[in-house]
Amino acid sequence: VHGKKSFLDKMPGAYDEKFSLLRAYYAYMFTQPGKKLLFMGGEFAQFIEWRFSQSLDWFLEDYESHRKMLAFVKTLGALYNAEPALWDDGAGWAGFSWVKVDDADRNVIAYTRTSRETGDSLLVVVNFSPSYYQNYRLSIMKPTACKLLLNSDRKEFFGNGQYVPEQVRTSPASYGDKPYSLDMALPPLSALIYRLEALPEENEIPPEVLSFLAI
């Protein structure tokens, strides 16, 4: 088990890029089906892989980058616990659906996780490239509002703090094989997690209007 390096030391790029990519990877791992495991020091991004003969490098928490990585992992873990969509069907793929899986040129993937118990859905978008995409477009089947739950690029997590809207909505412009599209800002080496809320179709009467008409 030795000689494989820690997660952080496996990451390519400059110092800050290693941390950015590791945060994106952790978000990807936590939002995929299956059980989660962080090993000995991974929660604060220890550079040296674990050694049974010595303690973890706890002194790294004195450094901003490692301290903020720990804050990110705590936030990510709390989000995981709070969202049944991420774990109530953890042993299968019934609650998983790809949104973008073929964009190798820009190194971006996107998928949804849906709870079988509550029906709530999350959208996960991961940009594994060092490029910033200001208007990255996804194809969506139905009109949807998206509320940002987690942005791994925030400065409190040792990110760059690139602007990301707290809420985005689909537009009725078809894209790919779906009738709606969603444009979003993607910081480099980052992961975004949104809560999805269905909106009425263009020809559909909103529930509040139906309630008014029934009076």
Side-chain angles (χ1 to χ4, degrees):
V1 299
H2 299 288
K4 295 182 176 66
K5 299 185 178 182
S6 67
F7 267 140
L8 183 65
D9 204 19
K10 289 176 184 285
M11 298 298 159
Y15 181 82
D16 59 336
E17 291 177 325
K18 289 178 179 289
F19 283 87
S20 295
L21 191 53
L22 184 58
R23 292 192 304 273
Y25 170 73
Y26 280 166
Y28 168 80
M29 180 179 72
F30 270 69
T31 55
Q32 288 282 310
K35 302 303 180 183
K36 314 306 169 191
L37 174 65
L38 283 180
F39 189 70
M40 304 300 287
E43 68 275 21
F44 58 87
Q46 181 169 304
F47 266 105
I48 300 174
E49 66 178 356
W50 176 71
R51 299 175 181 177
F52 68 88
S53 59
Q54 66 185 57
S55 173
L56 296 178
D57 291 341
W58 297 112
F59 68 88
L60 290 175
E61 292 188 42
D62 294 334
Y63 294 86
E64 180 186 17
S65 53
H66 297 272
R67 186 171 61 251
K68 289 185 174 181
M69 175 63 77
L70 181 59
F72 173 73
V73 172
K74 287 181 177 180
T75 302
L76 183 60
L79 176 63
Y80 179 85
N81 287 330
E83 297 295 337
L86 297 177
W87 47 259
D88 69 4
D89 190 26
W93 292 89
F96 180 96
S97 180
W98 284 110
V99 176
K100 176 69 73 172
V101 70
D102 57 356
D103 194 357
D105 290 338
R106 288 181 290 185
N107 214 7
V108 174
I109 59 173
Y111 47 90
T112 59
R113 296 296 308 277
T114 302
S115 169
R116 62 183 176 183
E117 295 183 2
T118 67
D120 293 339
S121 292
L122 304 180
L123 171 66
V124 183
V125 187
V126 187
N127 178 14
F128 284 116
S129 82
S131 300
Y132 174 73
Y133 301 119
Q134 186 172 3
N135 293 293
Y136 189 87
R137 178 162 290 187
L138 298 174
S139 56
I140 304 293
M141 182 60 69
K142 296 181 179 181
T144 306
C146 307
K147 180 181 178 181
L148 185 64
L149 299 181
L150 182 68
N151 172 11
S152 70
D153 188 55
R154 293 177 63 173
K155 288 187 176 181
E156 66 188 82
F157 302 140
F158 196 61
N160 294 312
Q162 297 264 21
Y163 172 71
V164 174
E166 292 294 321
Q167 294 189 358
V168 290
R169 291 192 173 202
T170 54
S171 64
S174 61
Y175 180 66
D177 58 348
K178 295 182 175 63
Y180 293 87
S181 57
L182 184 66
D183 292 333
M184 57 178 53
L186 299 184
L189 305 174
S190 69
L192 305 176
I193 303 175
Y194 289 90
R195 185 187 307 283
L196 301 184
E197 179 181 349
L199 296 174
E201 300 276 0
E202 287 186 353
N203 297 324
E204 181 181 345
I205 301 177
E208 59 270 20
V209 177
L210 287 175
S211 300
F212 174 79
L213 293 176
I215 297 176

